[in-house]
Amino acid sequence: MDFAQFQQAPVSVPTEHHSHGNRWDPYVDNGGTSLAIAGEDFVVVASDTRQSNGYSINSRYSPKAFELSNGSVLATTGYHADALKLVEHIEQRAQLYFHKHDRAMNVSAMAQMLSGILYSKRFFPYYVFPILSGLDAKGKGAVYTYDPVGNMERVNYQAYGSASALVQPFLDSQVGFKNQRNADPSRLLERPQAVKLAIDAFTGATERDIHTGDWLDLFIIDQDGIHQTKRELKHD
Amino acid sequence: MDAIKIQLPHTVQPRAENANDGAVSRTMQPIVTGTSVVAFKYKDGIMMAADTLASYGSLARFRSEKRLMAVGDNTLVGVSGDLSDFQYMQHVLEDLETRELCMDDDQTLGTKSVYKYISNIMYNRRTKVDPLWNSYVVAGLDHDEKFLGFVDLYGTRYQSPTIATGFGAHLAQPILRKRVEGREDEIEEEEALAILDDCMRVLFYRDARSFNKLRRAKVTAQGVEISEPYSLETNWDFAESIVGYGG
């Protein structure tokens, strides 16, 4: 915990100094957790909606997973202001693509583009950990994960954010069947199981991570489109 | 359509990096500051309060500064942090109002537009690592829809039924969460005023950079109303019983 942040508040007095050399740090971590689980013909995406700053809760409902114009969902964590700008950046490029090609971007094209957008800011990165989800050209669930500078990987499931160290091992066990005898690690989950695991993961994360909680935005993407629901998490 | 460009009002000097001496000046720290802003939704709209003090470090330098501002017909903006940066923002917003007026198209500035406008300026300046050292609380009422949003020097923004900046985030927000959250559409004006005063009283007792001269404001269907400065009843009898530094 960086206690210097209390002195960075807008009300600090002139004589108090900041910790990062003499240079103001233009980043903040707004906490929160996002995950995605791919199935044969669907993807489940979930993000909590708490936004925090240090020990303070800014808002109980500040969504960080966004439905994009091409029918995919971008779930983020990290620095919320950058996440919002990243979504604007993606949508602007997606619109240019739409007018140029007269069709919406498919998910793999958008995935590649997102990597490029992130890397284009390699030396002043968007402090965002994005998870891009949708259906690929064959209608299979697709989950693409990134680091803030654009490293990209297609995976079957991923958890990012302040509770990722709690949730990812849980998914490794229950979705990836890792380190289990007689289990097939490439097996994909059925839809009800994936939804149930996503909810359970957040119930657990909310219990142990102070930056995760309040509400859960749940997206199920299938060939009919995006089905969004909002569930309650603990508000403490 | 003209390119969108923020015109500096003639009263604002160009920033030093635009001058040709090669020097760059940035706000590295706030100098003259305003403390907390407290705001929340209630039945008829949004209530907001801020005291009138502009501190110079621990010195109570200017004692009747206005930190609440109306923009357009139904938007209220409250600010904490560096007040010279706020005065710059005031110029920019007044300029925006003027340009909107000159359009003469019977359109008015909506609260969400003002909020996005301020947010973009704040995020843009943080991206230049040359922030405006402020937190802004933007409130309004458009077609029966209550809006209450926040943006700070990082460009971090959020909306919430209760918002408090600075020390208010630590001292007033817990009170607001208890008394307002979930009741935004029930609270009558009388109760809202009581809640607001209780928050400001706690802040005056505990925030050493606060002041017992404050303004409150509300945005309702009737528009924005910013009060004249007033004071709160306080009771310091407990001070008699305090010995040493145990307070």
Side-chain angles (χ1 to χ4, degrees):
Chain A
M1 187 67 213
D2 178 17
F3 286 96
Q5 62 157 313
F6 291 112
Q7 302 195 351
Q8 284 194 9
V11 291
S12 64
V13 295
T15 47
E16 288 169 343
H17 275 289
H18 316 298
S19 59
H20 306 277
N22 203 28
R23 197 173 161 83
W24 178 67
D25 181 359
Y27 290 111
V28 276
D29 181 358
N30 296 115
T33 307
S34 289
L35 70 75
I37 300 170
E40 189 55 41
D41 56 358
F42 69 91
V43 192
V44 175
V45 184
S47 290
D48 73 307
T49 66
R50 177 175 293 178
Q51 187 197 108
S52 31
N53 189 188
Y55 286 119
S56 297
I57 295 172
N58 287 341
S59 176
R60 297 199 189 283
Y61 191 72
S62 174
K64 53 183 152 282
F66 307 92
E67 211 180 303
L68 301 179
S69 54
N70 71 337
S72 58
V73 171
L74 186 80
T76 67
T77 57
Y79 174 30
H80 192 66
D82 270 354
L84 294 173
K85 188 53 75 180
L86 176 63
V87 171
E88 281 180 20
H89 198 149
I90 292 169
E91 287 289 44
Q92 197 163 38
R93 289 280 300 271
Q95 190 139 63
L96 288 172
Y97 182 101
F98 182 84
H99 290 309
K100 191 169 180 177
H101 298 94
D102 198 24
R103 66 176 172 82
M105 266 180 145
N106 61 35
V107 176
S108 70
M110 181 166 276
Q112 196 61 48
M113 183 189 78
L114 176 52
S115 171
I117 287 173
L118 291 166
Y119 194 78
S120 73
K121 279 179 61 65
R122 172 61 180 80
F123 299 107
F124 187 22
Y126 285 127
Y127 210 115
V128 179
F129 294 83
I131 303 172
L132 180 69
S133 307
L135 299 181
D136 69 12
K138 291 175 183 154
K140 290 188 194 312
V143 174
Y144 293 90
T145 66
Y146 305 80
D147 78 352
V149 290
N151 295 293
M152 177 180 82
E153 189 181 7
R154 183 171 172 179
V155 294
N156 285 330
Y157 60 92
Q158 180 70 231
Y160 267 154
S162 55
S164 63
L166 282 67
V167 177
Q168 186 67 35
F170 172 69
L171 298 183
D172 282 338
S173 163
Q174 299 300 308
V175 183
F177 306 111
K178 293 284 168 66
N179 310 104
Q180 293 169 67
R181 256 186 270 273
N182 307 321
D184 174 14
S186 64
R187 201 188 99 194
L188 292 172
L189 254 45
E190 291 303 320
R191 189 159 149 161
Q193 277 67 42
V195 172
K196 203 164 174 302
L197 280 176
I199 294 167
D200 285 352
F202 273 92
T203 314
T206 302
E207 206 61 45
R208 290 288 183 173
D209 174 27
I210 58 167
H211 300 116
T212 298
D214 293 326
W215 299 92
L216 184 66
D217 271 345
L218 245 184
F219 301 81
I220 301 165
I221 311 168
D222 61 20
Q223 56 202 358
D224 300 327
I226 301 174
H227 313 273
Q228 191 186 344
T229 48
K230 182 180 162 188
R231 305 181 104 260
E232 201 158 6
L233 293 171
K234 280 169 74 169
H235 290 227
D236 59 358
Chain B
M1 187 74 185
D2 291 340
I4 297 168
K5 187 179 157 209
I6 300 173
Q7 285 285 328
L8 283 176
H10 65 91
T11 46
V12 177
Q13 296 294 311
R15 303 217 321 279
E17 64 180 51
N18 299 326
N20 271 333
D21 58 8
V24 175
S25 82
R26 297 187 160 106
T27 305
M28 301 302 285
Q29 59 188 252
I31 307 292
V32 178
T33 59
T35 185
S36 320
V37 174
V38 170
F40 59 89
K41 293 182 184 176
Y42 74 111
K43 194 179 172 191
D44 307 328
I46 287 104
M47 281 273 177
M48 198 185 290
D51 68 27
T52 59
L53 180 64
S55 303
Y56 180 74
S58 58
L59 175 69
R61 183 65 183 82
F62 305 106
R63 295 181 295 175
S64 54
E65 287 295 303
K66 208 171 166 183
R67 297 198 284 125
L68 301 175
M69 173 196 188
V71 181
D73 300 328
N74 53 4
T75 304
L76 173 66
V77 175
V79 68
S80 57
D82 190 283
L83 291 184
S84 66
D85 283 350
F86 171 52
Q87 284 172 0
Y88 166 75
M89 182 69 89
Q90 251 179 320
H91 282 296
V92 171
L93 293 175
E94 280 161 13
D95 200 46
L96 177 71
E97 280 185 299
T98 307
R99 276 182 287 140
E100 188 67 32
L101 189 75
C102 291
M103 287 284 170
D104 196 21
D105 57 359
D106 295 325
Q107 293 273 73
T108 52
L109 278 174
T111 304
K112 285 177 180 172
S113 312
V114 172
Y115 178 60
K116 191 73 196 292
Y117 196 87
I118 296 175
S119 299
N120 284 158
I121 291 171
M122 296 303 279
Y123 181 80
N124 179 250
R125 288 293 291 264
R126 93 90 215 188
T127 301
K128 291 174 176 164
V129 203
D130 185 12
L132 295 178
W133 219 287
N134 298 123
S135 296
Y136 288 93
V137 181
V138 181
L141 192 68
D142 268 318
H143 304 293
D144 288 344
E145 196 194 347
K146 287 175 234 174
F147 180 93
L148 182 56
F150 170 97
V151 60
D152 67 9
L153 70 167
Y154 296 98
T156 305
R157 56 191 156 103
Y158 55 84
Q159 295 168 44
S160 176
T162 62
I163 288 178
T165 69
F167 257 105
H170 301 104
L171 299 175
Q173 190 68 286
I175 298 171
L176 295 175
R177 296 242 163 99
K178 196 175 218 162
R179 294 174 66 176
V180 179
E181 219 169 63
R183 303 180 57 233
E184 302 92 88
D185 300 323
E186 301 164 18
I187 298 172
E188 299 286 346
E189 178 164 326
E190 193 185 7
E191 189 186 354
L193 291 173
I195 294 170
L196 204 61
D197 284 353
D198 283 351
C199 288
M200 296 312 282
R201 191 176 293 107
V202 168
L203 281 166
F204 178 57
Y205 279 132
R206 281 295 175 179
D207 176 3
R209 304 287 169 262
S210 70
F211 198 49
N212 195 9
K213 183 180 170 190
L214 53 140
R215 286 174 200 272
R216 59 186 169 217
K218 60 176 180 181
V219 208
T220 59
Q222 277 67 255
V224 183
E225 211 177 291
I226 303 175
S227 79
E228 288 305 305
Y230 69 103
S231 292
L232 294 166
E233 287 281 324
T234 54
N235 180 357
W236 297 90
D237 289 351
F238 67 90
E240 296 284 329
S241 62
I242 295 174
V243 179
Y245 295 96

